[in-house]
Amino acid sequence: MTGNSAVATLPRHPRAAAQARRVLEEVAPADCTVADTAALLLSEVVSNAVRHADGAAIEVAVARDEAAGAITGAVFDTEPGMSAGARSGDEPVDEMETGRGLDLLEALAVSWGVATVGDHGKWVWFQLSGY
């Protein structure tokens, strides 16, 4: 871990999102204008990994690029594919209780994506700018 990045292996447990936010706090500068948004997106991605993936642990990585003014968050889990989540198509979107994490990434992140690591798992990442 350096001042510009941090990586942590966290147990795949409901408290993992809170632990991931603490990792983000180690990297985000005190005057970071996108810290709250980064915390929200990181929590969503971690929660998806906890809920939908297998394995005992997930990996969280957070980095800041001072030159670009960007923060990147990423979560690795051992499930190579993306789950369909709560979207069955039968329920109106405004009545769904879960399943909006990817919508948040799409709406709030400058960019985001999924990078598979063969059949070993995937990284779900996002980037925010303007800190």
Side-chain angles (χ1 to χ4, degrees):
M1 171 180 351
T2 68
N4 290 341
S5 65
V7 176
T9 301
L10 305 176
R12 200 174 64 80
H13 185 277
R15 288 185 287 238
Q19 294 170 319
R21 288 190 300 271
R22 286 193 284 281
V23 173
L24 173 66
E25 290 170 0
E26 295 175 20
V27 175
D31 60 348
C32 180
T33 59
V34 294
D36 289 342
T37 302
L40 172 65
L41 295 181
L42 190 61
S43 294
E44 285 294 331
V45 175
V46 167
S47 294
N48 283 346
V50 167
R51 183 173 186 171
H52 298 292
D54 292 326
I58 60 172
E59 192 165 338
V60 174
V62 179
R64 82 170 187 257
D65 180 341
E66 292 178 10
I71 292 184
T72 302
V75 176
F76 178 81
D77 65 57
T78 58
E79 179 62 40
M82 293 289 286
S83 168
R87 295 191 179 192
S88 65
D90 298 334
E91 188 175 11
V93 171
D94 61 345
E95 294 179 15
M96 292 180 357
E97 293 182 14
T98 63
R100 292 192 180 96
L102 297 181
D103 290 340
L104 286 172
L105 285 171
E106 186 67 32
L108 300 174
V110 170
S111 59
W112 71 276
V114 179
T116 57
V117 183
D119 60 354
H120 300 289
K122 69 182 170 306
W123 284 97
V124 179
W125 60 270
F126 64 87
Q127 188 173 65
L128 298 168
S129 63
Y131 80 82

